[in-house]
C-alpha cells in the first residue's frame, strides 16, 4: 500500500515492469516516463488521479482489473487517468476494464494493436487527435458519457461493432477523423447526438443494424462503399454536402424523423 503521492516522472524502466496487487491512496505521477520493455498493471486499487502523460511504452502494455475507488465526491470529480501525448510502440490492452474516472488519450500514438473490447467508460473518454497506426478494437465497448475522437486518425481497421455510445448523456464526436482502412459500426448504438462532420472514410464503412440518435455527417466523404442496411435513425439525420463515391446501401433503414441530403453527391452505382 502506498499512502502518499507516488512520483515516477522522467524515470526509465529498462526491464519488464510489473505492478500487481497494490493500493495507491494518493496521486500517481509518471509524466515523461519511459518503459523500455513490457509492463503490466494488474489488480490495482486507485483512489486519486493517475498521470502517464508524455510517456513512452516501448514494449507490450497490459492493464487488468483496476479498481477506481470513489470515497470522496470532491476528489472524484477531479480524478482522471491521463495518457495525453503518450506513445505505445507495441500492443496495448485495456479490454474489460471499467474506467470510473475521466480518461484522456488526446494526441497519443498507438503503433501496435489497441484493444478496448468490452471496456466501460463511466465518465468522459477523450481520444482527440489520437493516431491509431495498428488495428483498434472497441467492439462492445460502453461509453456512458462523452466519447471524443475528434481529429483522430485510424490507419488500420477500426472495430466498433456493438459499441454503445452516450448511454447516460454527453455526446459522441468523430468529426475531422480520417479512417484509412475498413471501419465497422455495425449494431452500434448512439443514444444521443453524434457528429461525423468533415470525416473522411477512405475504405468501406459499415453501419449495418446500428441505431443512431441525432446524427450529422455534414461535409463528410465516403470514398468507397457505405452500408446503412437495417439501421434505425431515431432523430434528425444530416448528410449535407456529403460525397458518396462508392455504393450506398440504405435497404430496410428506418428514418423516424427528417433526413437531409441537400447538396450531396452520389457517384457510385
Amino acid at each position: 500500500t502506498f499512502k502518499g503521492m507516488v512520483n515516477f516522472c522522467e524515470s526509465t524502466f529498462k526491464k519488464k515492469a510489473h505492478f500487481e496487487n497494490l493500493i495507491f491512496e494518493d496521486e500517481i505521477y509518471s509524466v515523461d516516463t519511459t518503459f523500455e520493455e513490457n509492463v503490466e498493471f494488474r489488480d490495482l486499487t486507485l483512489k486519486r488521479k493517475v498521470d502517464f502523460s508524455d510517456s513512452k511504452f516501448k514494449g507490450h502494455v497490459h492493464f487488468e482489473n483496476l479498481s477506481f475507488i470513489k470515497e470522496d465526491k470532491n476528489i472524484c470529480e477531479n480524478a482522471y487517468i491521463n495518457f495525453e501525448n503518450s506513445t505505445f510502440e507495441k500492443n496495448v490492452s485495456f479490454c474489460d476494464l471499467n474506467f470510473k474516472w475521466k480518461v484522456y488519450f488526446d494526441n497519443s500514438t498507438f503503433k501496435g494493436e489497441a484493444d478496448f473490447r468490452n471496456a466501460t467508460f463511466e465518465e468522459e473518454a477523450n481520444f482527440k487527435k489520437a493516431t491509431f497506426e495498428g488495428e483498434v478494437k472497441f467492439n462492445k465497448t460502453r461509453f456512458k458519457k462523452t466519447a471524443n475522437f475528434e481529429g483522430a486518425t485510424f490507419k488500420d481497421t477500426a472495430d466498433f461493432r456493438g459499441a454503445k455510445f452516450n448511454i447516460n448523456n454527453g455526446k459522441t464526436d468523430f468529426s475531422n477523423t480520417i479512417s484509412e482502412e475498413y471501419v465497422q459500426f455495425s449494431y452500434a448504438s448512439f443514444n444521443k447526438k453524434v457528429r461525423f462532420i468533415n470525416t473522411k472514410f477512405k475504405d468501406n464503412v459499415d453501419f449495418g443494424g446500428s441505431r443512431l440518435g441525432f446524427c450529422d455527417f455534414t461535409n463528410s466523404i465516403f470514398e468507397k462503399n457505405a452500408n446503412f442496411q437495417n439501421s434505425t435513425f431515431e432523430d434528425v439525420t444530416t448528410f449535407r454536402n456529403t460525397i458518396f463515391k462508392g455504393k450506398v446501401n440504405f435497404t430496410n433503414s428506418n428514418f423516424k424523423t427528417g433526413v437531409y441530403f441537400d447538396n450531396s453527391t452520389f457517384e457510385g452505382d
Side-chain angles (χ1 to χ4, degrees):
T1 298
F2 294 87
K3 293 188 177 293
M5 183 186 72
V6 177
N7 190 334
F8 290 110
C9 293
E10 299 181 358
S11 297
T12 299
F13 293 82
K14 291 185 174 293
K15 300 295 184 180
K16 293 181 180 179
H18 300 271
F19 298 88
E20 188 170 356
N21 293 315
L22 297 172
I23 299 173
F24 294 90
E25 305 236 349
D26 208 333
E27 298 169 352
I28 303 173
Y29 291 95
S30 190
V31 178
D32 196 20
T33 301
T34 300
F35 297 89
E36 296 192 353
E37 297 291 340
N38 297 348
V39 57
E40 290 188 3
F41 300 88
R42 191 190 306 269
D43 298 316
L44 304 183
T45 298
L46 306 173
K47 296 187 178 182
R48 301 286 184 97
K49 63 186 179 184
V50 181
D51 194 343
F52 284 100
S53 58
D54 300 299
S55 292
K56 296 179 180 63
F57 298 87
K58 295 185 177 182
H60 296 283
V61 181
H62 183 80
F63 286 81
E64 181 179 337
N65 194 27
L66 304 188
S67 297
F68 299 86
I69 305 300
K70 293 185 174 183
E71 292 182 340
D72 186 298
K73 182 179 180 180
N74 293 328
I75 292 174
C76 290
E77 286 179 351
N78 296 314
Y80 58 78
I81 182 165
N82 186 14
F83 291 95
E84 288 182 338
N85 303 308
S86 291
T87 301
F88 301 89
E89 296 191 0
K90 293 188 177 179
N91 296 349
V92 56
S93 175
F94 295 92
C95 59
D96 299 311
L97 281 186
N98 185 359
F99 294 96
K100 293 187 177 182
W101 302 341
K102 296 177 183 178
V103 183
Y104 296 91
F105 286 96
D106 300 355
N107 296 300
S108 290
T109 300
F110 299 84
K111 294 187 176 182
E113 178 184 278
D115 191 350
F116 290 87
R117 288 175 299 167
N118 297 305
T120 299
F121 295 88
E122 296 196 8
E123 299 291 339
E124 293 179 16
N126 295 282
F127 293 87
K128 188 174 181 179
K129 294 185 178 180
T131 300
F132 299 91
E133 297 183 4
E135 183 179 2
V136 57
K137 299 176 180 179
F138 281 97
N139 41 313
K140 295 186 178 180
T141 301
R142 294 168 293 279
F143 299 90
K144 292 191 175 182
K145 294 187 179 179
T146 292
N148 189 354
F149 288 87
E150 184 181 1
T153 299
F154 299 91
K155 294 188 176 183
D156 205 330
T157 57
D159 187 352
F160 290 88
R161 288 176 298 169
K164 297 183 184 297
F165 295 87
N166 315 124
I167 295 172
N168 295 334
N169 53 45
K171 65 180 181 179
T172 300
D173 199 343
F174 282 89
S175 297
N176 300 301
T177 60
I178 298 174
S179 299
E180 298 184 2
E181 299 291 341
Y182 180 38
V183 181
Q184 298 183 78
F185 286 99
S186 51
Y187 299 100
S189 62
F190 300 86
N191 189 41
K192 295 188 178 179
K193 187 173 183 178
V194 55
R195 290 161 35 112
F196 286 93
I197 299 172
N198 297 316
T199 299
K200 292 182 176 65
F201 298 98
K202 294 187 175 182
D203 206 326
N204 298 333
V205 58
D206 187 3
F207 283 90
S210 61
R211 185 178 62 83
L212 301 98
F214 182 94
C215 190
D216 193 347
F217 286 91
T218 298
N219 295 322
S220 290
I221 300 175
F222 296 83
E223 295 193 1
K224 293 189 177 179
N225 299 335
N227 180 37
F228 292 90
Q229 185 174 0
N230 297 315
S231 294
T232 299
F233 297 85
E234 303 278 356
D235 206 331
V236 174
T237 303
T238 303
F239 288 97
R240 286 190 175 98
N241 302 311
T242 301
I243 298 174
F244 299 91
K245 294 187 177 182
K247 296 180 180 179
V248 185
N249 186 0
F250 285 102
T251 304
N252 294 321
S253 292
N254 184 4
F255 293 90
K256 292 188 176 182
T257 58
V259 55
Y260 299 89
F261 289 96
D262 38 315
N263 205 36
S264 291
T265 303
F266 296 84
E267 299 179 3
D269 297 335

